Amino acid sequence: MVKLKAAILISGRGSNMRALVAACNEPGFPAEVVLVISNNPDSSGLEYAKEAGLTSHVIDQKGFPKRAEFDAVLDSVLCDHKVELVCLAGFMRILSEELVNKWRDRIINIHPSLLPSFKGLNTHTRVLQSGVSFSGCTIHFVRPEMDDGPVIVQAAVPVHSGDTVENLDARVLAAEHRAYPLALRLIAEGRVRVVEETVKIDGAIAPADAMLNPIEES
Ligand code: GRF
């Protein structure tokens, strides 16, 4: 089987990277991780990447005050490794419009909310302050505007009364680790198309029922 060549870009602990690597190690998974890149030499995820025997590369952003210079190096490293899909996984850096447009529909990102709600940082704090009953995560194609772009997969999780940021983060993160490998698999299987800035997935089935929150005690 010819596998899709994916790069994973991280800045921190890299738990989503691990979930993607674990999925790629499953027999018959249609993608392979050919490269891990971090913009932060101290990111703990890099240690895991090395232990797992993955090719990793640090592009230390401190060495590149100009965004265009950083992005030019990033682009050339991706091209050198013949990367076909870039998976941003906790990559805490905005990419330039030029780079995003060059890699249009070949960069995906995960965000810990049900986009387009709660774009940006400190998501869980704002979710809890807002009083919504559900949060979740979104995997989407990247566009120049932050946390914008066609949605590929979403997972909804309930917000519990009395939730803390830590509780909610853990619940959403568990959903992220299921949703991101699903998005990668669907793309690698060639089933995902962007049509007029929405995603169409061949053979996708949506759940039939609503999920209520709260529910009555049984
Ligand atoms: C995740 O919550 C992801 O949604 C967000 O940054 C966090 C990264 O976590 N973009 P990890 O480094 O994958 O553990």
Side-chain angles (χ1 to χ4, degrees):
M1 182 206 303
V2 179
K3 297 192 175 204
L4 182 80
K5 292 180 176 21
I8 306 178
L9 272 56
I10 62 170
S11 298
R13 68 189 160 181
S15 70
N16 278 288
M17 171 193 69
R18 289 178 191 225
L20 292 173
V21 170
C24 288
N25 287 337
E26 292 289 324
F29 196 84
E32 61 181 326
V33 178
V34 296
L35 181 63
V36 171
I37 296 177
S38 177
N39 62 330
N40 168 16
D42 301 322
S43 56
S44 54
L46 274 177
E47 291 302 315
Y48 170 82
K50 282 178 198 147
E51 282 163 20
L54 297 166
T55 302
S56 60
H57 197 101
V58 176
I59 309 176
D60 189 348
Q61 60 185 27
K62 288 194 211 86
F64 299 93
K66 290 196 180 140
R67 190 172 304 283
E69 288 171 8
F70 179 96
D71 284 2
V73 174
L74 175 59
D75 180 49
S76 77
V77 173
L78 293 171
C79 291
D80 285 350
H81 289 82
K82 301 193 168 26
V83 168
E84 295 168 299
L85 183 76
V86 179
C87 304
L88 307 183
F91 186 67
M92 302 302 286
R93 190 180 164 90
I94 292 171
L95 299 171
S96 64
E97 189 169 351
E98 289 70 26
L99 188 81
V100 170
N101 286 340
K102 178 179 174 193
W103 287 80
R104 189 178 175 87
D105 297 344
R106 291 183 295 155
I107 309 178
I108 61 176
N109 180 46
I110 185 158
H111 182 75
S113 76
L114 293 173
L115 291 174
S117 297
F118 303 105
K119 295 179 176 184
L121 298 174
N122 303 317
T123 316
H124 302 312
T125 304
R126 291 182 289 120
V127 164
L128 292 176
Q129 284 168 351
S130 75
V132 292
S133 303
F134 288 97
S135 189
C137 66
T138 304
I139 296 94
H140 63 97
F141 286 108
V142 169
R143 295 292 182 259
E145 194 180 316
M146 192 173 66
D147 300 329
D148 188 38
V151 169
I152 307 161
V153 172
Q154 290 188 308
V157 305
V159 178
H160 296 181
S161 83
D163 256 349
T164 61
V165 168
E166 290 71 29
N167 290 341
L168 182 58
D169 179 49
R171 200 175 305 122
V172 171
L173 202 61
E176 292 185 34
H177 297 163
R178 293 173 60 197
Y180 214 169
L182 171 61
L184 176 58
R185 181 167 64 76
L186 292 171
I187 292 170
E189 287 174 346
R191 294 166 58 189
V192 177
R193 290 171 291 130
V194 181
V195 180
E196 294 174 356
E197 283 300 83
T198 62
V199 162
K200 308 284 179 213
I201 302 178
D202 296 334
I205 300 169
D209 296 325
M211 185 163 60
L212 303 183
N213 182 20
I215 50 173
E216 304 268 30
E217 277 186 68
S218 52

